Every structure is written in structure tokens, then in C-alpha cells.
Amino acid sequence: MAPAADREGYWGPTTSTLDWCEENYAVTWYIAEFWNTVSNLIMIIPPIFGAIQSVRDGLEKRYIASYLALTVVGMGSWCFHMTLKYEMQLLDELPMIYSCCIFVYCMFECFKMKNSVNYHLLFILVLFSLIVTTVYLKVKEPIFHQVMYGMLVFTLVLRSIYIVTWVYPWLRGLGYTSLGIFLMGFLLWNIDNIFCDSLRNFRKKVPPIIGVATQFHAWWHILTGLGSYLHILFSLYTRTLYLKYRPKVKFLFGIWPVILFEPLRKH
């Protein structure tokens, strides 16, 4: 976490329970943590296009919700890191819980009839979200949120491993790429927290372009944003395979992955 001595800017004193390692208002007076803010674009823009494509393809609403939930997380994180206000922190952290619950629902409903609804699972996930929200608003302890978020991610990891091990082994590349990128982000998140003082001292001694590369919380956003996006593709690929569509991963401009498919033609 960041040392206590940080300058103030447009948004006034920090009220959030967390202040990350990036130097506050170092780039512009209007954004508290500039790189931690703009790095959220990867979680905002691509999922919007994913949601639009899902609507056009007539996909089940839960996949549209998955894309939009990731966008909401990115927007909340943008507001949090831009202001370092407690209310904006909640706008970042609580949607992380809600989006993961949507991901969990999608992953456990991959092998059901089209447009079916699992009300029991829905009830459990909504209840879980309400309990986490209520407790977190009461205790205001970031570690509680991190543990609850970690439980959901662990559930997704186990389900993904089951699918690529026992159901669709040929999806290992996509599934493990999503997981590996996410874990790399988690590693950098921890390095940023544990070695913050050393990173700040290092940034004072090197050219700005090198210093930017050591903004590891921003890298956490980029890698977990990409990892989460790939997880949605993995979930969607699994679902459309089960529905006997013909999913294919294509790369827009040769770099950005999207999923395209067509229903299996009847002869």
C-alpha cells in the first residue's frame, strides 16, 4: 500500500480504506492515480462490444450480463482510482463480487437446456451477494472482501479445470490461458503491495517511461481484465459447443480475441 505522505488534488482528501502504491496526483491534478485509472479501459470498452455482439447473435441473457458486469467493474474501478473516495471504492469492489457470481452461474449452467433457469443456484448467489454486501458495509475490512472474491474465483477455477479435464479437453488452451493471465496479474498485485516503498524509490531514480512499467496495480487491471474477458469467451465457447453451435475464436486486427459461431445446420 501507499505511504501516508501523498499530495492532494482535485478530489480532496482520501476517504477510501485503501490507497495503492501509485503516487497520488503525480500525472495530473484531476486524477488521483492516473495509471491505475486509465488501465481500466481494457475492462470497459471490449466487453461493451462483446455485449453488443451477444445481443446480435441472440445469446442467452446471462452472457450479455457477464460482459456488462465486467464493464461495470471497470467503470467502478476507474471512479475509485480517479478519486480515492470510499463511495467509489464500493462501486469498484462490490461489482467484483456480483460479476463473479454471474460468471459462476454461467459456468454451472453450461450443460443445461437452452434458456433454462436454475432458481436454486440463483437464490444462493443472490443471497451470497447480499450477505457479503451487508457485512462489508458494516465492517469495512478490505481483507474480508478479498477473501470472498477469492472464494468465487477459486470456484471458477475448479469448474474450469473440470470442464477442460473431463468434458472438452481441447479447450485447455483457452481455459489455462485465461487462468494464467489472471494469476500473473494476482502476482503483480501482491508485488505492488509488498514492495511498495522499494518500487517508489526505484521510480524516483529511473526515467518516467521505466517507472510507468513498474505500476504493477495498473498491470493487475490489464491482466485480470484480459483474463476475465477470456474467461467469458471460455464459458461462452463451452456453452455454444453444448448447444451444437460451431464456435470459433477469431482475432480482430490480429490481436484481440472474439468468439464467432453459427447454429449447426439441419440436413
Side-chain angles (χ1 to χ4, degrees):
M1 302 304 170
D6 254 321
R7 71 184 76 177
E8 284 188 17
Y10 178 80
W11 300 99
T14 297
T15 60
S16 59
T17 60
L18 293 170
D19 188 355
W20 304 100
C21 192
E22 183 179 350
E23 297 81 356
N24 295 351
Y25 297 101
V27 176
T28 171
W29 190 63
Y30 295 100
I31 299 178
E33 296 176 343
F34 181 82
W35 300 110
N36 288 353
T37 299
V38 298
S39 56
N40 285 293
L41 286 172
I42 196 171
M43 280 188 277
I44 298 174
I45 297 176
I48 290 177
F49 286 99
I52 293 172
Q53 188 62 45
S54 296
V55 172
R56 289 175 177 171
D57 290 337
L59 299 181
E60 292 161 304
K61 291 183 175 60
R62 58 179 179 261
Y63 292 102
I64 301 169
S66 294
Y67 281 121
L68 293 179
L70 184 56
T71 294
V72 170
V73 171
M75 294 171 67
S77 184
W78 178 291
C79 293
F80 169 36
H81 291 285
M82 181 174 68
T83 66
L84 291 180
K85 293 297 183 182
Y86 175 67
E87 295 80 8
M88 299 299 105
Q89 179 182 347
L90 294 178
L91 198 61
D92 172 16
E93 293 176 331
L94 291 178
M96 290 171 65
I97 299 294
Y98 308 151
S99 63
C100 263
C101 284
I102 296 173
F103 296 167
V104 168
Y105 183 86
C106 289
M107 287 297 286
F108 280 86
E109 291 297 293
C110 280
F111 307 116
K112 302 291 178 67
M113 292 177 58
K114 189 173 182 180
N115 294 319
S116 63
V117 179
N118 186 336
Y119 290 103
H120 291 97
L121 181 57
L122 267 180
F123 176 78
I124 291 170
L125 292 172
V126 170
L127 182 62
F128 177 83
S129 297
L130 288 174
I131 291 173
V132 171
T133 300
T134 303
V135 173
Y136 191 45
L137 290 175
K138 186 74 174 177
V139 302
K140 298 182 180 180
E141 176 52 65
I143 293 178
F144 170 76
H145 168 268
Q146 292 160 11
V147 170
M148 294 299 102
Y149 179 68
M151 286 173 52
L152 290 170
V153 171
F154 186 66
T155 302
L156 290 171
V157 169
L158 290 181
R159 181 63 171 173
S160 299
I161 291 175
Y162 165 77
I163 289 173
V164 301
T165 303
W166 301 107
V167 187
Y168 296 136
W170 55 89
L171 290 184
R172 284 177 183 166
L174 181 56
Y176 288 146
T177 298
S178 168
L179 176 59
I181 290 174
F182 195 97
L183 289 178
M184 178 62 70
F186 182 61
L187 173 64
L188 295 181
W189 181 84
N190 280 284
I191 292 174
D192 190 72
N193 289 337
I194 297 169
F195 300 105
C196 180
D197 288 336
S198 299
L199 287 170
R200 283 193 162 200
N201 289 332
F202 176 76
R203 286 197 283 263
K204 291 176 182 176
K205 302 173 184 176
V206 297
I209 188 68
I210 297 177
V212 169
T214 67
Q215 298 289 356
F216 291 143
H217 193 87
W219 282 108
W220 151 259
H221 289 160
I222 293 169
L223 294 172
T224 55
L226 177 57
S228 298
Y229 178 87
L230 290 176
H231 171 79
I232 297 174
L233 292 192
F234 171 76
S235 179
L236 190 51
Y237 204 115
T238 302
R239 179 61 173 160
T240 52
L241 272 178
Y242 177 78
L243 294 176
K244 301 188 185 303
Y245 291 11
R246 293 170 176 168
K248 289 184 179 179
V249 174
K250 300 287 187 180
F251 290 87
L252 291 180
F253 310 110
I255 54 172
W256 191 259
V258 295
I259 189 167
L260 302 175
F261 64 88
E262 57 179 325
L264 186 64
R265 293 187 181 92
K266 295 180 180 179
H267 297 284

